[in-house]
Amino acid sequence: MSQGVIAVYPGTFDPITLGHEDIVRRAAGLFDQLIIAVAVAHHKKTMFTLDERLALVGDTAARFDNVSVAPFDGLVRDFVLACGGKVMVRGVRGVTDFDYEAQLAGMNRHLAPNVETVFLTPAATLQSVSSTLVREISQLGGDVAPYVSSAVLQALQAKKQARAGV
């Protein structure tokens, strides 16, 4: 394990999926401290409020002694530097993600030259899972249980019932 290295795993996590959880588990084993940074996400219309996303991500973080959760707004670079972070963790599912993430990593290197970006891929069985697909499948009545924790599944079902007026 690296000595004294703080890593930040930023994202919207709307909702957190088992793919995200796999990245958290592996990153927690690589770094002394992992902060899951949940974006306020003014630029997106999220299904879950910031507080709901923080709570759901907190369920995952609670399983690890060296993982915490915090909200952030603005440039992730500013959040990473304010936390004393040296590494930004990014999940990459495939070539499309890699192309975008490589561009983002290059820009982040320009903005914060002392912060490294580390790419981790989720388990092969989770590489097709995205928060967007989970939300869409759930809202259309499909089964997302294989892709999310039981707490997230319950939260998705509650959102669906609320929209249906149940």
Side-chain angles (χ1 to χ4, degrees), residues 14-15 47 130-140 156:
D14 186 42
M47 174 182 276
S130 73
S131 294
T132 300
L133 288 175
V134 164
R135 285 192 314 270
E136 290 176 4
I137 292 166
S138 175
Q139 289 301 301
L140 295 172
L156 285 165

Side-chain angles (χ1 to χ4, degrees), residues 9-162:
Y9 180 25
T12 307
F13 304 106
D14 186 42
I16 189 167
T17 67
L18 295 181
H20 293 127
E21 290 189 18
D22 186 51
I23 299 295
V24 168
R25 178 185 57 77
R26 291 187 299 115
L30 292 172
F31 304 105
D32 292 313
Q33 183 181 354
L34 177 66
I35 302 167
I36 306 172
V38 180
V40 171
H42 295 292
H43 65 290
K44 291 184 179 182
K45 182 177 181 344
T46 59
M47 174 182 276
F48 293 97
T49 67
L50 177 61
D51 287 341
E52 289 169 332
R53 290 181 285 128
L54 287 167
L56 291 169
V57 173
D59 288 344
T60 296
R63 293 183 226 144
F64 304 92
D65 292 335
N66 65 332
V67 178
S68 60
V69 179
F72 81 95
D73 194 10
L75 289 175
V76 70
R77 173 212 56 186
D78 295 338
F79 179 84
V80 171
L81 294 174
C83 293
K86 296 292 182 199
V87 175
M88 196 178 318
V89 174
R90 300 296 295 168
V92 178
R93 292 169 298 188
V95 176
T96 305
D97 280 356
F98 182 78
D99 183 51
Y100 172 75
E101 293 293 342
Q103 291 176 35
L104 197 59
M107 185 56 69
N108 283 328
R109 180 173 294 139
H110 176 74
L111 294 172
N114 295 328
V115 176
E116 295 295 336
T117 299
V118 172
F119 298 125
L120 295 175
T121 58
T125 56
L126 300 170
Q127 286 191 351
S128 64
V129 179
S130 73
S131 294
T132 300
L133 288 175
V134 164
R135 285 192 314 270
E136 290 176 4
I137 292 166
S138 175
Q139 289 301 301
L140 295 172
D143 180 19
V144 294
Y147 313 118
V148 296
S149 69
S150 59
V152 171
L153 183 62
Q154 290 173 4
L156 285 165
Q157 290 168 341
K159 288 285 183 185
K160 186 176 173 187
Q161 289 174 349

